[in-house]
Amino acid sequence: REEWRREWRRRAGTKLQSAWRGHSGRRLAREEEMYQALELDEYAVTKLQSCFRGHVGRNKFRARRKQQAIDKILSSAAKLQAVYRGHLARLEANAERELQMAEIEFEAALRIQAVLRGHWGRQVERFRRRHWLANRLQRTYRGHIARLDVMVLRRFNAANKLQSVYRGHVSRRFMVHHRQVVAIIRLHEWEQACALKLQAVYRGHLGRYLGLSLIRQTRSALRLQATYRGHLDRSRLRQSLAEEYAAVQIQRVYKGHVGRLVMDHVATLVTQWRAALKLQRVTRGHFVRRGLAQSRIRLRAAQVLSRVYRGHLARV
């Protein structure tokens, strides 16, 4: 009986040691899995931060380039306005000198009017050509901006593809490691026949808990990615719509301003032309009336001389 007790105590000690070793091994395995999960979460957070910083930097760079382009367009418009105002001032000065010369000599005024009409026609043609060049420049700039947006979108899609491939690779490695751990644990369970049932129940509970946690984390990550991508797409769409609306408004205001300037210039030219015609008509009427008055005076003088001469001949 004493030997049986010693044998029983030895077996009990061995069983306790094996149970403690299994408990220690499972605890170390759980801690290793937790450390790996924490490292994966930290890498994901770092990756999201880097993507967001890159997005903010690209938006700032794009806004700076657009502001520079708008400033350049505004400076060009101001330069064109200054040139056009100077041209209008010179045209007015030329018109005043031509009107002064028209009062002196009628034939010279006709010649100057012909030259002035030709000059005005050429200026209108030049203005039309400048307007066409401005439209061509705006269309080229819009195409360049659209191509840049398409290039950025392609790079963003490529980055998403690389991220999905890397996540799949990490998930597959994690599953392979998990399967290896499960196989080792099952082999150990086969050797430990006494603690098989309790270990199986505990591992099943732990596996279900970890699986549910992993599924929830994956779904949360996917939902967060979908929300962030939707926010990016909506922000990009709103920004593109705002830029297009701003470009349309700028074009509308600039075209309206140019149209009003052209109409004002045309109205001024028509007024000057009508004034010149009025002045010519008054001048011709004055010359004709003066010639008619002189002709009447000469005719009356001739009639008086004839009557006096006939009376003299009759008396003689």
Side-chain angles (χ1 to χ4, degrees):
R1 178 174 294 180
E2 189 68 19
E3 291 179 357
W4 179 79
R5 287 180 181 178
R6 285 196 298 270
E7 184 67 19
W8 181 79
R9 289 176 182 176
R10 186 179 62 80
R11 291 182 180 180
T14 304
K15 184 62 70 176
L16 289 173
Q17 289 177 359
S18 64
W20 173 254
R21 292 192 190 97
H23 174 70
S24 299
R26 289 190 294 275
R27 187 177 63 183
L28 291 175
R30 286 197 300 272
E31 290 178 356
E32 185 67 21
E33 290 177 357
M34 290 175 64
Y35 288 148
Q36 290 179 359
L38 289 174
E39 290 178 357
L40 182 62
D41 292 338
E42 185 178 0
Y43 177 77
V45 170
T46 304
K47 195 67 177 179
L48 286 174
Q49 289 177 355
S50 63
C51 292
F52 183 75
R53 292 193 188 97
H55 172 70
V56 172
R58 288 189 293 272
N59 286 336
K60 290 182 179 179
F61 179 73
R62 193 180 296 113
R64 192 182 300 111
R65 289 192 62 186
K66 290 180 179 178
Q67 186 64 34
Q68 291 177 359
I70 291 172
D71 294 338
K72 187 175 181 180
I73 292 172
L74 291 177
S75 63
S76 300
K79 185 67 176 180
L80 289 174
Q81 289 177 357
V83 173
Y84 189 71
R85 291 194 192 99
H87 176 67
L88 288 178
R90 288 189 293 275
L91 288 177
E92 291 177 358
N94 291 331
E96 289 179 358
R97 285 197 297 273
E98 288 169 357
L99 288 175
Q100 290 176 1
M101 292 177 67
E103 292 177 357
I104 297 173
E105 189 175 0
F106 175 71
E107 295 295 332
L110 291 177
R111 182 63 180 172
I112 291 172
Q113 286 177 359
V115 174
L116 185 60
R117 291 190 191 98
H119 177 69
W120 286 343
R122 289 188 295 274
Q123 290 298 326
V124 170
E125 185 65 23
R126 291 176 183 174
F127 177 76
R128 289 176 180 174
R129 182 171 180 80
R130 289 175 182 175
H131 184 66
W132 179 80
L133 290 174
N135 290 331
R136 184 65 179 274
L137 180 61
Q138 291 176 355
R139 186 166 61 251
T140 304
Y141 179 73
R142 290 195 202 96
H144 177 65
I145 294 299
R147 287 190 293 274
L148 287 178
D149 290 337
V150 170
M151 187 181 298
V152 171
L153 183 60
R154 288 178 179 174
R155 291 178 180 176
F156 182 74
N157 292 331
N160 288 333
K161 186 66 176 179
L162 288 174
Q163 288 178 0
S164 63
V165 172
Y166 182 75
R167 292 192 195 98
H169 174 68
V170 172
S171 300
R172 287 190 294 273
R173 288 185 60 185
F174 177 76
M175 291 304 296
V176 169
H177 180 70
H178 182 69
R179 289 172 183 173
Q180 291 176 359
V181 171
V182 170
I184 293 171
I185 292 173
R186 286 180 179 176
L187 180 60
H188 189 67
E189 288 176 353
W190 181 263
E191 295 175 354
Q192 305 271 335
C194 296
L196 180 62
K197 190 64 179 178
L198 291 174
Q199 289 178 359
V201 172
Y202 183 75
R203 289 194 191 95
H205 172 71
L206 182 61
R208 286 190 296 273
Y209 178 76
L210 292 177
L212 289 175
S213 299
L214 182 61
I215 290 171
R216 289 172 184 170
Q217 291 177 3
T218 305
R219 288 179 178 175
S220 300
L222 291 175
R223 187 173 298 173
L224 180 61
Q225 290 177 359
T227 303
Y228 184 69
R229 292 194 186 99
H231 173 68
L232 288 180
D233 293 336
R234 287 190 295 273
S235 299
R236 189 177 294 108
L237 180 60
R238 285 195 297 269
Q239 187 175 2
S240 62
L241 290 176
E243 291 173 356
E244 185 177 0
Y245 179 76
V248 171
Q249 290 296 324
I250 290 172
Q251 290 180 358
R252 182 176 62 80
V253 172
Y254 181 73
K255 290 178 181 177
H257 176 66
V258 173
R260 286 190 294 274
L261 289 177
V262 172
M263 292 303 297
D264 292 339
H265 181 60
V266 171
T268 303
L269 294 180
V270 170
T271 303
Q272 294 176 357
W273 180 66
R274 289 179 179 176
L277 291 178
K278 184 70 176 179
L279 183 61
Q280 291 177 3
R281 186 165 61 250
V282 171
T283 303
R284 292 195 193 98
H286 174 69
F287 286 150
V288 170
R289 286 191 296 273
R290 189 173 66 181
L292 289 175
Q294 291 178 0
S295 299
R296 290 194 190 99
I297 292 171
R298 290 174 183 174
L299 180 62
R300 289 177 182 177
Q303 289 177 355
V304 170
L305 289 174
S306 298
R307 188 170 59 250
V308 171
Y309 184 70
R310 290 193 199 98
H312 176 71
L313 290 178
R315 286 191 296 275
V316 173

